[in-house]
Amino acid sequence: MLVLSGRTRMLAFLIFLQAGNFVQGAGTNYVWNWANNTNWSDSDNWDATNAPNGSYPGFSSANDNVLIGGLSRSNFPATAGLNVNVTINNMTIQSNGGLNLLAGSSLTVSNVDLQGDLDITGSGVITNLGLFRKSGGTGSSVIYLSFRNQGGTIEVDSGRLWLANTNFILHRIATGTFVVAEGAVVDVS
């Protein structure tokens, strides 16, 4: 098990996601509304402006931006179920959101902001190309699936980011940079 914690130096790094803000980029901005079911590829589950009819994040542009959270039903988090292979630009998951990658699915993303203690689970694969950040919550955010860090930065501002998949291959995340605030923890087990 590898655990990184403590004070780290500041990096000169352009951060596209700011805690508490949904950053709009060049693509379409999608907000998870959970209207129909938990399927990512069901366009009725997304609110978007200027989106092609029947589209969902990553359908036609790798520049799309995603916000998940802000909703709950009977104390269940607003969890999107990724059932396709997509590439997107920015993804913000609020404290009452979540993501489940179904078998055979993959998410390639440039920037992720986890704004609370939440889980990303499933049988799919996440590939981080930029900044994967836990910016909120004092407890644990658990990433329980295959996670690849392709030269990106994994940053933990508070709490614990636990990369918990037993099939996890350490060298896949060791190719980037870790930034861990004082009192925060990255746990790889």
Side-chain angles (χ1 to χ4, degrees), residues 119-148:
D119 296 339
I120 298 178
T121 60
S123 303
V125 177
I126 290 182
T127 301
N128 175 45
L129 302 176
L131 177 65
F132 193 94
R133 177 179 176 205
K134 181 180 185 309
S135 66
T138 57
S140 291
S141 287
V142 181
I143 312 303
Y144 192 80
L145 49 69
S146 293
F147 180 88
R148 297 178 182 145

Side-chain angles (χ1 to χ4, degrees), residues 31-35 45 68-73 76-79 94 96-97:
V31 178
W32 179 252
N33 68 26
W34 198 4
N45 289 324
I68 299 173
L71 305 168
S72 64
R73 292 184 183 164
F76 289 101
T79 300
Q94 296 175 329
N96 59 342

Side-chain angles (χ1 to χ4, degrees), residues 35-87:
N36 204 27
N37 51 48
T38 61
N39 291 337
W40 179 287
S41 63
D42 185 337
S43 63
D44 291 337
N45 289 324
W46 298 99
D47 291 327
T49 55
N50 303 319
N53 207 11
S55 70
Y56 52 85
F59 175 76
S60 61
S61 173
N63 292 319
D64 290 342
N65 306 292
V66 170
L67 174 65
I68 299 173
L71 305 168
S72 64
R73 292 184 183 164
S74 303
N75 296 321
F76 289 101
T79 300
L82 184 67
N83 56 344
V84 291
N85 298 323
V86 296
T87 299

Side-chain angles (χ1 to χ4, degrees), residues 13 25 50 53 94 98 105 107 111 116 147 159-160 162 164 176 181 185 187:
F13 191 83
N50 303 319
N53 207 11
Q94 296 175 329
S105 67
L107 172 65
N111 298 289
F147 180 88
R160 174 182 177 215
W162 183 19
V185 175
D187 185 348

